[in-house]
Amino acid sequence: MRVLHLDTNHPLIIEQFKELGFENHEDYTSTKEEIEAKIHEYDGLIIRSRFTLDQFFLEKATNLKFIGRLGAGLENIDTDYAKQKGIFLASAPEGNRNAVGEHTLGMLLSLFNKLNKADKEVRSGKWDREGNRGIELDGLTVGIIGYGNMGKTFSKKLRGFEVEVLCYDILGGVGNEDSRQVGILEFHQKVDVVSLHVPQTELTIGMVNSEFINAFHKPFWLLNTARGKAVVTKDLVAALISGKILGAGLDVLEYEKKSFENLFADDSMPPAFKYLTQAENVILTPHVAGWTVESKIKLAQTIVDKVKAKFC
Ligand SMILES: NC(=O)C1=CN([C@@H]2O[C@H](COP(=O)(O)OP(=O)(O)OC[C@H]3O[C@@H](n4cnc5c(N)ncnc54)[C@H](O)[C@@H]3O)[C@@H](O)[C@H]2O)C=CC1
Ligand SMILES: O=C(O)C(=O)COP(=O)(O)O
């Protein structure tokens, strides 16, 4: 097998592929067009999220037998077309679900205890105890939307807390010992904290808009470690201003990577986005929920194991 690695990764994947007799080729800099011109030479492809593997790209991958996606989200791959072409697709949610579960819990506890605000203040010489009085999770209802790998792992992390955990998933039949599945009406009625764990699809892009937000009976806290496009930033900000959303923990944003840096470089930052960067009841992280020292190893090992089980 000739394997092309398109995103940097833990070296174990290269070492273990070598032991399996695979030939590894690394290319972390070529443009998509340059990769398209040579993709027919490879049997396997290892990628994180550098490129979109659309139908046009996959048509050129005439010898491709597998794609290893070092992560969970598959919106950057035309999975239907890959399947149609008989390409084995290995993703690795097993590798970063624990990281996402812990990060989501971390964001929630940081928001409730104002850790980001208090930390900034103490460092600047301000000692304000009253302004940093926290609130407790005890007795609240946490609602999870999308109860797959990530949603389930987050609910498991809530085991030590006196909270009711509800889940809502379009699949249905997904509740377990950590969470009770409910219909959307009960979800809207009861939850105090909403955590998003849905994939990016046509149905979930823009899912958290004004209509969605206003359907909740109580003001609530929002956590998003799924995808930035699930939330309409300006509607979130309107709700933060009105108090319908009490605070937000966002690991993913509508604007990420290059466009994110550009927003700071010139004066064109949309007002809603600027608001998020300044609000004290908002915590922002740069898409690192699934990005730990341990997940880097586990993602790579998951892909090796899946490819090995299929082909060796
Ligand atoms: N911030 C980060 O670093 C990371 C983010 N993620 C994101 O988390 C997403 C979820 O990952 P997994 O849990 O592995 O996926 P999964 O496929 O195991 O679970 C997603 C669940 O969402 C449900 N769902 C889909 N559309 C829905 C809708 N409109 N309403 C309600 N439920 C819906 C599905 O039925 C499924 O049960 C990934 O697609 C990725 O976008 C994943 C890993 C790391
Ligand atoms: O595993 C995932 O879906 C992730 O979000 C991890 O980040 P990435 O998409 O690989 O940049």
Side-chain angles (χ1 to χ4, degrees), residues 73 93 100 146 148-150 169-171 197-199 204 225 227 251 287 290:
V100 170
N149 294 292
M150 308 300 148
D169 193 297
I170 43 165
L171 259 190
H197 297 283
V198 288
T204 62
T225 55
R227 284 292 180 265
D251 178 54
H287 199 146

Side-chain angles (χ1 to χ4, degrees), residues 255-274:
Y255 314 98
E256 288 190 16
K257 297 176 186 165
K258 284 204 179 95
S259 61
F260 179 85
E261 281 151 22
N262 292 342
L263 288 172
F264 285 85
D266 59 34
D267 292 332
S268 64
M269 192 186 283
F273 184 77
K274 193 164 193 167

Side-chain angles (χ1 to χ4, degrees), residues 72-75 93 96 100 145-151 168-171 174 197-201 203-204 207 225-227 251-252 287-291:
L74 290 171
E75 74 276 9
N96 60 12
V100 170
I145 303 187
Y147 205 58
N149 294 292
M150 308 300 148
Y168 172 75
D169 193 297
I170 43 165
L171 259 190
V174 293
H197 297 283
V198 288
Q200 181 174 306
T201 65
L203 276 182
T204 62
M207 179 182 193
T225 55
R227 284 292 180 265
D251 178 54
V252 286
H287 199 146
V288 289
W291 192 261

Side-chain angles (χ1 to χ4, degrees), residues 94-109:
E94 300 87 345
N96 60 12
R97 63 187 173 197
N98 186 64
V100 170
E102 290 189 15
H103 190 95
T104 311
L105 181 60
M107 283 191 134
L108 177 55
L109 295 177

Side-chain angles (χ1 to χ4, degrees), residues 141-158:
T141 301
V142 178
I144 296 175
I145 303 187
Y147 205 58
N149 294 292
M150 308 300 148
K152 283 183 184 142
T153 307
F154 175 51
S155 70
K156 206 194 264 182
K157 301 296 174 198
L158 290 166

Side-chain angles (χ1 to χ4, degrees), residues 166-179:
L166 304 179
C167 63
Y168 172 75
D169 193 297
I170 43 165
L171 259 190
V174 293
N176 62 10
E177 70 274 25
D178 295 316
S179 175

